[in-house]
Amino acid sequence: MAKENCEVMTYSDISAKTRLILPQDLSFAVDMLKHGGVVAIPTETVYGLAANALDDEAVRKIFIAKGRPTDNPLILHISLFQEIYDLVSHVPSSAKKLADAFWPGPLTLVLRRSSVIGDNVTASLDTVAVRMPCHNIARKIIRECGFPLAAPSANLSGSPSPTTAQHVMRDLNGKIDAVVDGGECSVGLESTVVYLCDERPRLLRPGGITISQIESVVGKVDIDDAVSGEKMYCGKASSPGMKYKHYSPKADVTLVIGPSSEYVDFVNEKAKCKKNVGALCFDEEAEKINAVTVPYGRKLHYQEQAQKLFSSLRKFDLLDVNEVFAHCDYNDEVALAIYNRLIRAACFKVVRL
Ligand code: TXA
Ligand code: MG
């Protein structure tokens, strides 16, 4: 972790009880946000922990509730494209083209920030991350608030991102004002993050929008070292959130890459000599494995795997498992985003078969 400006705030006394809000009662959520509250809201990617991005005290509560290091900046969520002009100092043509193609949707653009944005939202960077979610509930809440919402994923820092209101409750009950229950998130992984302040766009975090989709709109995209790296990133990260161990269940995770039959043999060998072994596997592999299995989708069906990944990782916390072998593919489609999350869950421990 970088030394500068990265203390972890501790939870004090934000809210004793967290209210569960149904989609028909959104006015409660809007009211809480207008009064400086922190409210978890559904988006198409994962649940976000939202607060008024222009209210320093409200933003501070997000960091406290999550136990998030203060050097990790937040994404601002808007409901209309023109709202971006207040938040950034310049909108390059690449931003317009990408927004045209993929907004509303799971794509975050990093641009030079304007003076209305506080240092705590951006962790004192001179850039700000902006996205327009396509989830109806999220957009309605942003629209009715009338200000941008700062919202990181609504999990405790380090644990898997939440894809249901119940996941949020498990992590943050009693620490935030409310959770809006919008059911399961459809994408299941956080947005793709693209840096647009250099000549060429640079991918900071892979997500549901793939590199080839982005390249089809703006041409060649660079991949940040922190995305392609196979080690915990210790330098000054372009996207600070990517340098932390993240997404982990309580059990130790090892990422395994290779053909199905070899993965099955590998886990079965491990299970012969160790107790409490778990396998995060593809559906077709589950019945061949002699250990606790959590299947997370069919082979090669990356969108299905992405949608189930975080809830599957969370399942291991409810099972009697202390070591998990997670199988995934590696390519530049949505599989890259899955690999990117799992390698962090595994703290960069990888076995290639
Ligand atoms: O899908 C998503 O993006 C979800 C939903 C709630 O919108 N949000 C989310 O936020 O994943 P969070 O805070 O969990 O992840 C945001 C990532 C972090 O890796 C952070 O470091 C990076 O975006 N980020 C935020 N602002 C940045 C900036 N100005 N420059 C570079 N990276 C930035
Ligand atoms: Mg997060």
Side-chain angles (χ1 to χ4, degrees), residues 45 68 72-73 75 77 127 129 131 152-153 190-191 205 238-241:
T45 56
R68 183 177 175 104
N72 193 2
I75 296 175
H77 296 69
T127 55
R131 118 171 165 88
S153 49
E190 308 90 335
S191 59
R205 179 174 74 182
S238 315
S239 187

Side-chain angles (χ1 to χ4, degrees), residues 156 158-160 167 170-171 247-253 292 294 310-322 324:
L156 279 176
S159 70
H167 296 161
R170 217 168 285 148
D171 277 16
Y247 314 116
S248 306
K250 292 191 185 87
D252 254 12
V253 178
V292 176
V294 177
F310 289 141
S311 57
S312 302
L313 281 171
R314 279 175 178 268
K315 279 186 191 154
F316 286 108
D317 285 348
L318 308 173
L319 296 165
D320 192 16
V321 160
N322 48 33
V324 172

Side-chain angles (χ1 to χ4, degrees), residues 153 155 161 246:
S153 49
N155 51 295
S161 297
H246 210 152

Side-chain angles (χ1 to χ4, degrees), residues 19-30 39-42 47 135-141 143-144 165-166 178-184:
R19 178 170 183 166
L20 195 65
I21 294 179
L22 297 172
Q24 59 269 32
D25 297 326
L26 289 190
S27 57
F28 288 119
V30 172
V39 177
I41 62 169
Y47 275 69
H135 197 289
N136 279 343
I137 293 178
R139 293 191 73 198
K140 193 156 185 237
I141 291 174
R143 205 167 48 239
E144 289 186 12
Q166 289 67 37
V179 182
V180 178
D181 190 349
E184 231 176 303

